């Protein structure tokens, strides 16, 4: 049985009331993007292995989406509260949202998946996961993250890994701002996504935002303050002004002008 519940953007999504998960109709995970050697032989410096998950409509995808995993990968090499010895990214996946998200003008998932694959075709270690887009209905982000963690974990353990890498959300600061907006997310989902189970790394748009301001704004939210102080939400600069000024909305506006 499943129950409808509110999720980001004020839509409804479904999370099974049972803890069991059917895998019979799941798409195959593109494991070609995973660093198998790092999974089976963890870094000697004690860095934790993680997989990045980039959530979004990708309507359409653009250079910022494609570059985001590399920016976060570099940022996570440095020690942080969440990862005292740093983190080693062993793979990253873009996850196009389900058609049922209901966003006006949302192109069919099959086309957004195809465009996302083209966008990351030349980005090493970055793939597209179709689990979210191919479910029977729209899923909450927490369900998407946990499904990827389970599937990556099955692969890692089958290949001799001693532990399952955490799935960390890589995003722009707008996603964290939506988490702080009442009604867009369930607080318990935010707590899980920003806990040691996952974690969120938000990349700021160059020239438009700074880390101190972003941290202060997020800390003013009662259900995000603890995550910011504990490192469950980490803000980093992009250093890529050209890519960070691009948005899907702007791309759509340009396309309709022709």
């Amino acid at each position: 049985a499943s129950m409808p519940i509110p999720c980001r953007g004020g839509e409804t999504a479904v999370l099974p009331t049972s803890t069991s998960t059917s895998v019979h109709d799941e798409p195959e995970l593109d494991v070609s993007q995973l660093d198998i050697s790092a999974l089976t032989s963890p870094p000697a410096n004690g860095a934790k292995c993680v997989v990045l998950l980039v959530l979004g409509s990708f309507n359409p995808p653009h250079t910022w989406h494609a570059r985001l995993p590399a920016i976060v990968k570099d940022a996570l090499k440095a020690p942080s509260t969440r990862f005292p010895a740093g983190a080693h990214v062993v793979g990253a996946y873009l996850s196009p949202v389900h058609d049922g998200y209901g966003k006006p003008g949302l192109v069919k998932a099959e086309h957004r998946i195809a465009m996302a694959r083209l966008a990351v075709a030349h980005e090493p270690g970055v793939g597209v996961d179709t689990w979210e887009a191919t479910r029977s209905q729209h899923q909450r982000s927490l369900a998407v993250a946990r499904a990827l963690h389970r599937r990556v974990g099955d692969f890692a353990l089958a290949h001799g890994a001693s532990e399952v890498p955490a799935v960390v959300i890589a995003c722009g600061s707008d996603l964290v701002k939506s988490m702080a907006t009442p009604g867009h997310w369930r607080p318990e989902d935010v707590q899980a996504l920003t806990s040691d189970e996952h974690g969120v790394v938000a990349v700021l748009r160059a020239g438009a935002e700074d880390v101190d301001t972003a941290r202060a704004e997020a800390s003013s939210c009662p259900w995000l303050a603890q995550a910011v102080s504990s490192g469950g939400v980490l803000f980093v600069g992009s250093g890529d002004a050209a890519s960070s000024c691009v948005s899907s909305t702007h791309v759509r506006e340009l396309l309709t002008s022709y």
Side-chain angles (χ1 to χ4, degrees):
S2 299
M3 54 183 179
I5 48 180
C7 71
R8 69 185 191 278
E11 304 294 337
T12 57
V14 169
L15 188 68
T17 54
S18 169
T19 56
S20 62
T21 305
S22 173
V23 298
H24 299 297
D25 61 345
E26 289 189 332
E28 185 174 349
L29 181 68
D30 180 9
V31 296
S32 67
Q33 305 304 327
L34 294 175
D35 184 350
I36 300 177
S37 62
L39 287 172
T40 55
S41 302
N45 65 351
K48 293 292 185 180
C49 288
V50 302
V51 171
L52 301 181
L53 172 61
V54 185
L55 301 162
S57 300
F58 305 108
N59 190 48
H62 48 72
T63 52
W64 174 244
H65 295 136
R67 288 285 303 144
L68 189 64
I71 295 171
V72 173
K73 180 177 181 178
D74 286 343
L76 286 178
K77 292 176 182 178
S80 63
T81 304
R82 171 76 168 84
F83 300 107
H88 179 71
V89 175
V90 297
Y93 293 94
L94 273 59
S95 179
V97 76
H98 190 276
D99 287 341
Y101 184 51
K103 186 175 182 178
L106 189 64
V107 174
K108 287 291 185 181
E110 61 184 292
H111 301 302
R112 291 182 287 112
I113 289 170
M115 288 188 290
R117 284 174 171 158
L118 288 171
V120 301
H122 300 292
E123 297 292 335
V126 184
V128 176
D129 186 26
T130 62
W131 186 91
E132 178 180 7
T134 58
R135 299 304 83 209
S136 61
Q137 52 196 316
H138 175 42
Q139 304 287 312
R140 294 200 334 250
S141 297
L142 179 58
V144 178
R146 285 178 170 170
L148 180 59
H149 181 259
R150 171 178 52 77
R151 293 155 68 225
V152 168
D154 288 346
F155 174 79
L157 295 175
H159 285 76
S162 58
E163 62 181 47
V164 177
V167 170
V168 173
I169 309 300
C171 62
S173 60
D174 54 341
L175 186 138
V176 177
K177 290 177 180 177
S178 76
M179 286 181 167
T181 304
H184 279 222
W185 295 72
R186 285 174 55 123
E188 55 266 39
D189 283 17
V190 174
Q191 183 178 16
L193 287 170
T194 59
S195 70
D196 288 346
E197 180 183 357
H198 295 290
V200 174
V201 181
V203 180
L204 306 177
R205 293 187 180 273
E209 303 167 301
D210 65 84
V211 172
D212 290 341
T213 300
R215 282 179 55 88
E217 290 179 351
S219 296
S220 67
C221 172
W223 54 86
L224 279 180
Q226 176 59 34
V228 174
S229 63
S230 66
V233 174
L234 177 67
F235 293 98
V236 299
S238 80
D240 188 349
S243 294
S244 67
C245 67
V246 181
S247 72
S248 293
T249 300
H250 188 208
V251 172
R252 290 196 302 273
E253 290 174 347
L254 289 174
L255 289 173
T256 57
S257 67
Y258 286 97

